[in-house]
Amino acid sequence: MFFNDQDIQMDTVDSNTTRKVLAHSDQLMYVKVMFAKAQTGEILLHKHVHEQVTYVLKGSFKFMIDNGETKEVQTVKEGDSIHFPSDTLHGCIPLEDDGILLDAFTPARADFL
């Protein structure tokens, strides 16, 4: 299937974040997530059953991954990637305006559709 950018709806996640579901099947999903610079230094964590890979298209971000035993914090920048196993707490804060991440999820996130 083809997904043309001009036909894809932009969703507002919060006052700092918007996203577009670029392409998806039942088992795989690509999502472009766009950020303004964070207004706070706190990293809010979340988890989901979906396995996730994130690629930094633009900007820099401070990510935290909490696997239940250790918390790892690292700053990533354009060209870097991150893997999040299923049900692993994680989150990020954008360190500059106009940051963009490309997220891949498996299976696809029905809550994004």
Side-chain angles (χ1 to χ4, degrees):
M1 293 181 69
F2 294 94
F3 295 83
N4 295 308
D5 188 59
Q6 69 270 14
D7 299 330
I8 300 171
Q9 176 181 320
M10 179 92 66
D11 295 317
T12 300
V13 177
D14 57 37
S15 62
N16 201 56
T17 312
T18 57
R19 71 174 167 232
K20 278 186 161 188
V21 175
L22 300 179
H24 64 89
S25 67
D26 291 340
Q27 294 304 311
L28 181 65
M29 173 182 278
Y30 264 145
V31 180
K32 181 179 178 181
V33 189
M34 291 126 317
F35 297 87
K37 184 177 180 179
Q39 301 303 311
T40 174
E42 183 181 356
I43 300 175
L44 300 176
L45 301 179
H46 67 281
K47 67 178 181 175
H48 40 76
V49 298
H50 313 83
E51 187 172 0
Q52 177 180 342
V53 173
T54 295
Y55 178 76
V56 182
L57 287 169
K58 183 180 177 188
S60 59
F61 299 81
K62 184 184 288 187
F63 270 89
M64 178 185 287
I65 301 174
D66 180 350
N67 68 9
E69 296 177 16
T70 61
K71 290 182 182 178
E72 185 175 354
V73 177
Q74 192 170 126
T75 298
V76 295
K77 60 185 182 343
E78 187 174 321
D80 292 338
S81 298
I82 309 139
H83 171 252
F84 307 99
S86 175
D87 289 318
T88 300
L89 282 169
H90 63 281
C92 76
I93 55 170
L95 300 175
E96 53 195 90
D97 276 330
D98 301 322
I100 303 173
L101 299 176
L102 179 63
D103 290 335
F105 297 98
T106 186
R109 294 195 56 165
D111 58 323
F112 283 17
L113 297 176

